[in-house]
Amino acid sequence: MPQLAAPTQPLRAPSFFLLDPAHDVERPLLRHGRPTLITFLRGTWCSSCQAFLERLSPLHTTLQARGVDLVGVVCQGRHWVKSWLALNALPFPLLVDEQRTVAKAYDVYKALGLDGIHIARPATFLVDAQGHIVWRYLGDDRDDRPADASLLDALQLLR
């Protein structure tokens, strides 16, 4: 059963700078004063992750209209992600966590499993403008992602 809830105590979201391979620049995971929806992906090779990215693309416009940034984080080599992005444009940044530092900080790093090694567990976090995690969804397996309605309902938790 996935964990779908607001944390009982506001947790400070770890912030990092990660490579945006589409533009060859470092970007902040969180922008000061802006709420952010962060989704962790197993890799661009993962068909479930690709399907989730396709679902998120139309939601990006809704999130932007509500002042919420959308960021994907993938635990994969930058050259693989850059190659994938050259063929699959996204309206939001897909950042590279090659060292798995961010996945570990958010406690979604999966060292070993039947479905992969050194990847992120499918997970989505909503961080408010003050940098607190106000909602999270931790998937049980590669196909377990939050429903669009759940993502939009979570926005109500933003002040």
Side-chain angles (χ1 to χ4, degrees), residues 108-125:
V108 297
Y109 173 71
K110 189 174 183 178
L112 180 63
L114 294 175
D115 58 350
I117 59 171
H118 304 298
I119 57 175
R121 172 183 181 184
T124 303
F125 295 82

Side-chain angles (χ1 to χ4, degrees), residues 3 14 23 28-29 33 40 43 65 69 76 80 93 114-115 147 152:
Q3 298 175 32
H23 302 99
L29 181 62
F40 286 88
D69 290 339
Q76 191 176 357
W80 295 111
L114 294 175
D115 58 350
L152 295 173

Side-chain angles (χ1 to χ4, degrees), residues 75-92:
C75 293
Q76 191 176 357
R78 67 184 71 203
H79 59 283
W80 295 111
V81 179
K82 186 172 184 143
S83 295
W84 187 85
L85 286 169
L87 300 172
N88 302 276
L90 293 174
F92 55 89

Side-chain angles (χ1 to χ4, degrees), residues 3-26:
Q3 298 175 32
L4 174 64
T8 54
Q9 293 292 322
L11 302 172
R12 183 59 108 176
S15 187
F16 294 87
F17 279 83
L18 292 171
L19 177 71
D20 176 348
H23 302 99
D24 289 320
V25 296
E26 294 279 324

